[in-house]
Amino acid sequence: TGALKCFSLLTPSCSPCLGGHSAGSASEWSVNGTPVDFSTDGRRRLSGGNLIIGHPDRTWDAGTYQCIATNSVGTILSSRATLWFAYLEMFKSQTRSAVSVREGQGVVLLCGPPSHSGELTFTWVFNEYPNFIQQDSRRFVSQVTGNLYIAKVEPSDVGNYTCVVINSVTKGKVLSSSTPLVLRTDGAMGEYEPKIEVNFPETVPAAKGSAVMLECFALGNPVPEITWRRANGVPFPSKVKVQKSSAVLEIPDFQQEDAGGYECVAENTRGKNVARGLSVFTAKPQWIQTATDTALAIGEKLLWECKANGKPKPSYSWLRNGETLATEVENGALSIAAVNLSDAAMYQCVAENKHGVLYSSAELLVLGKPLRTLLKARAGTEVVLECRPQAYPQAVTLWKKVFSRILLLPGGTLKIINVTKADGGSYTCMARNQFGTASTTGRLLITEPTRITQGPTNMEIIVGESIVLPCQVTSDPALDVSFSWVFNGQLVDFQQDKTHFERIFAGDLMIRNIQLGHAGKYICIVDTDVESLSAAAVLMVKGPPGPPSAVTVEEITDSTAQLSWMSGRDNYSPIKGYVIQGRTAFTLGWQALDTVPEVIFGNTLTATVVGLNAWVEYEFRVVSSNAVGVGEPSPPSAKTRTEDAVPDTPPTDIGGGGGTQSELVITWEPVPEELQNGDGFGYIIAFRPVGGATWTRAIISTPEVARYVYRNDSIPPFFPFDVKVGAFNKRGEGPFSSITTVFSAEEGEPAGRGDRQCEEHAAVFTCIFTSRGEDVSRPPSPSTQSPGVVHDTKPDTVGKVRVFGNQSSVNISALTGNSQYFLTVSAFNTAGTGPASPSVNATTKKASQPPMNVEWTLIGAQLTLHWDPVVAMETESEVTGYQVSTRFRFLSYSRVRTTAELTLPANDDYLIQVRVLSEGGEGAATEPIRIHRLSMSARGSGTQRPDNSPPSLAVAFVLSTFCSSLW
């Protein structure tokens, strides 16, 4: 209402001018493409071509208007005019929740303007009106969103905030409900780097001569400083202005050279952040070349070109008497190979981009010519023979061969009703005036009707399949027949669309690899010299569903999230169901999530995701499926963090032991960050002597720590303790692990060296234990004086193996080959370690060297190996056999066998090695024999020799021949 107080009548003007002829012209109007019906709307009326609207109404009168002017020459359209109404509705009267923040923390207060039309401006009131917020480096009001941003909250900011919205056109003003801002009581916020909350779009379109405003503001402690720069490093021209404590960059009178990248930098002592965007230059179309009025004789060629500049580049279309031409238009040019009388009309070229549209008009006048030498007509139709001689004064026309069904029309035109074969023949038109007589003769040929014998039919097809749409005809042999296809109103270009469209068997249309965009109406058009026929069919293409949209987290707890979404296009196959996927910073890509309901059917647009981890930031997306397949996923939802909760996962792999005397070392596997369930995460270590009743507890507040050492001189050596480890965070304590027995440190082991030796051999022990299955807690360590020798007189240098209970034997592995060892046995209990037994010495042997002179022959997939037998040396273990290994298996042979035959699978590469088996274990392997899959189709052979033994000439010749055959 406020926008219409200044006037009561809106009067768009339409003054037609067509081809230089204004007499007898008439005007019509359309709104949003629909003709205005003046007989049913008393508020609208015409006056001299102008449209007058009394008491305009926002609901009924807003839209795009266009004038249609018509006279005897033709019809043209005016430029378009848009009528809109500015308005501003009231805020909803609901109470706004209080916003609770810490001192030093940044905050954003949302305005949420009500429904409106027209540009808005925003301000905020603090506590009482009109105490408006004064913007500075710490506070900023966005004129894009209306939100209030406070970079760093101070105690003076506590109070009530009200958003004030003003419509720049109507000057109307509305106020929101107040939003209370309160301080939390759990301490002030520490310093943190800037976080940019107000950012300009990645792409900013800017019209020539317009004023561009870019906003940028960041939260942070200390308050960030905002600076601006161009991405190419070029300094700003003097016209550029920085306002509102550098939060707004204004570029007045925008020109082409102002386009490019812009960057906003927010920086404080804790760090900096950068926002980037691209400003794109735009311009509405402007004419460079237009068509002019043209007069042509029948049969001559018409070529009209119109060109316009603009950014983005304009698209072109042509109108004929106000109707869009679907054919003969290319790159803004209109071409008619041979004009006839029906082409005489008013034409308009239309150049358009997203910023504007231009119209230019021209008249085409077609002049008469003599009769065509041969005119064909289908039997049963009407034939019109026009005779319009160019003469002044006007000539009188006469016709020869006139029958009862032939009418002579004013102006000399001859009309034959319901022609038959008998009407065929020669016709002569004579023109006479006082200056003489002229004549012209043409022949009329009557043909049989053309019929479509098989046309396309409505069909359903699945995306990716191929189909043929038939179009077969019977026609008179005297006629030239041509076929064309129209798809959704556009002529099919078989050259441009040859990937999918091909014309076969005269008129049939083949569509290969059908896509969703190929669904629609197909029309086969059959053109002959005398008529045009058509047959149409609708093709429905079924495909996987389109991606869902608007995935929104409605409600979230510590382990669940309620989601809603909008379905995508079903692509002609009903959606059967949905799957919800999620990802976090801790997952590798997207993963399917459990939901309630477990199966989400196609008519369901909400679901609850269950089994989420607490205090983890999630993104969700939805994937739909139908009978055809699974569609593309939706865009991801906004990142949302689940609520915190008490830890529900205790640490694992509780263990320990070792250390120095009077120490209890406890270790565990840290709880991953995604399972910590909240801030303030740490561990509770509880231990007691085995059989004790009271637990001793210790707290560790660092989530990454995985080791705790308890020191007390009263701890006996190698004494068992019950140990358990739990977790806690700010929400409380979680469960403890199961109880594990851990022994305190042993007696007499020097600090540092014993621990270091354990750590060094831990990996070796694990490997041996895994592959051999032997019960060894620590492999012996070599002496620093002589490799492979340990001394019973120096306990600090002796490797130890512990056994328990009544066990009286042990297998010690991972010793060094060809080395002498001294071994003793001692008993121990909770009181300590007893005296050692007399030492026993033992000398180990090493595994044998690899076989020599390995030869191989490959025929097809059959590989034959041969090697020299290995004789053990004095320091080596006796040979018990041989092992041949490939990528797929290990084959063992007795020591008497020095050959092996293998059948190799096709289509792969192979590495083959041979090694000796002995009591000392597996010996070193030969150099690998490499056989490529190309070898499987040829014969080949080879020999492995020592490095100092060159291959024989015969072997070299075989190898070179084999390699040549591969190429």
Side-chain angles (χ1 to χ4, degrees), residues 165-185:
V165 183
I166 302 174
N167 191 306
S168 302
V169 179
T170 67
K171 307 305 179 185
K173 178 192 302 181
V174 293
L175 280 72
S176 71
S177 302
S178 61
T179 301
L181 180 65
V182 297
L183 286 181
R184 291 170 55 173
T185 59

Side-chain angles (χ1 to χ4, degrees), residues 248-260:
V248 177
L249 180 75
E250 179 182 0
I251 311 173
D253 189 24
F254 194 90
Q255 299 297 322
Q256 178 72 54
E257 59 269 18
D258 296 320

Side-chain angles (χ1 to χ4, degrees), residues 61-84:
D61 298 319
T64 300
Y65 288 79
Q66 196 167 25
C67 173
I68 304 99
T70 305
N71 68 3
S72 59
V73 177
T75 299
I76 60 173
L77 304 181
S78 71
S79 298
R80 303 167 190 163
T82 300
L83 172 62
W84 59 275

Side-chain angles (χ1 to χ4, degrees), residues 819-949:
S819 300
Q820 186 178 26
Y821 285 87
F822 293 88
L823 304 98
T824 63
V825 179
S826 302
F828 72 93
N829 57 22
T830 56
T833 303
S837 69
S839 63
V840 177
N841 68 324
T843 301
T844 60
K845 292 187 177 183
K846 62 181 180 181
S848 298
Q849 72 272 17
M852 305 292 287
N853 297 328
V854 180
E855 298 179 353
W856 60 272
T857 303
L858 178 67
I859 301 177
Q862 194 72 26
L863 178 71
T864 302
L865 293 170
H866 178 77
W867 58 89
D868 292 345
V870 177
V871 178
M873 301 174 64
E874 184 179 353
T875 59
E876 295 178 340
S877 299
E878 187 70 23
V879 175
T880 60
Y882 301 94
Q883 182 187 79
V884 178
S885 62
T886 70
R887 289 178 50 192
F888 306 99
R889 54 181 172 168
F890 295 89
L891 302 177
S892 297
Y893 301 93
S894 67
R895 65 174 179 172
V896 298
R897 287 192 57 179
T898 58
T899 62
E901 291 186 356
L902 302 175
T903 301
L904 301 182
N907 301 323
D908 212 332
D909 297 339
Y910 306 96
L911 292 178
I912 300 177
Q913 293 178 296
V914 183
R915 70 182 76 226
V916 171
L917 301 178
S918 67
E919 294 179 352
E922 297 176 358
T926 61
E927 290 294 322
I929 299 172
R930 302 179 183 272
I931 300 178
H932 299 280
R933 59 178 176 268
L934 291 174
S935 306
M936 302 301 292
S937 62
R939 300 169 59 94
S941 64
T943 301
Q944 267 193 1
R945 296 178 177 270
D947 293 341
N948 58 357
S949 176

Side-chain angles (χ1 to χ4, degrees), residues 706-758:
R707 187 172 185 267
Y708 172 74
V709 179
Y710 174 70
R711 295 180 179 88
N712 193 314
D713 293 339
S714 63
I715 298 179
F718 207 69
F719 190 81
F721 284 82
D722 289 335
V723 175
K724 61 181 180 179
V725 182
F728 71 94
N729 60 20
K730 289 186 176 179
R731 291 295 299 272
E733 293 185 8
F736 277 86
S737 66
S738 58
I739 297 175
T740 302
T741 300
V742 176
F743 288 87
S744 62
E746 301 177 33
E747 181 181 20
E749 196 165 297
R753 183 177 181 90
D755 290 342
R756 183 169 63 254
Q757 290 177 345
C758 286

Side-chain angles (χ1 to χ4, degrees), residues 631-676:
E632 292 293 323
S634 69
S637 68
K639 290 184 178 179
T640 308
R641 184 180 290 276
T642 51
E643 296 179 349
D644 57 353
V646 174
D648 53 12
T649 302
T652 58
D653 293 340
I654 312 302
T660 60
Q661 190 169 341
S662 302
E663 285 185 349
L664 173 64
V665 179
I666 301 172
T667 61
W668 61 90
E669 182 69 24
V671 175
E673 183 180 348
E674 65 268 28
L675 301 178
Q676 294 176 5

Side-chain angles (χ1 to χ4, degrees), residues 766-775 811 813-814 918-922:
T766 303
C767 176
I768 296 171
F769 181 80
T770 302
S771 62
R772 299 290 184 103
E774 296 166 343
D775 186 12
N811 185 11
S813 61
S918 67
E919 294 179 352
E922 297 176 358

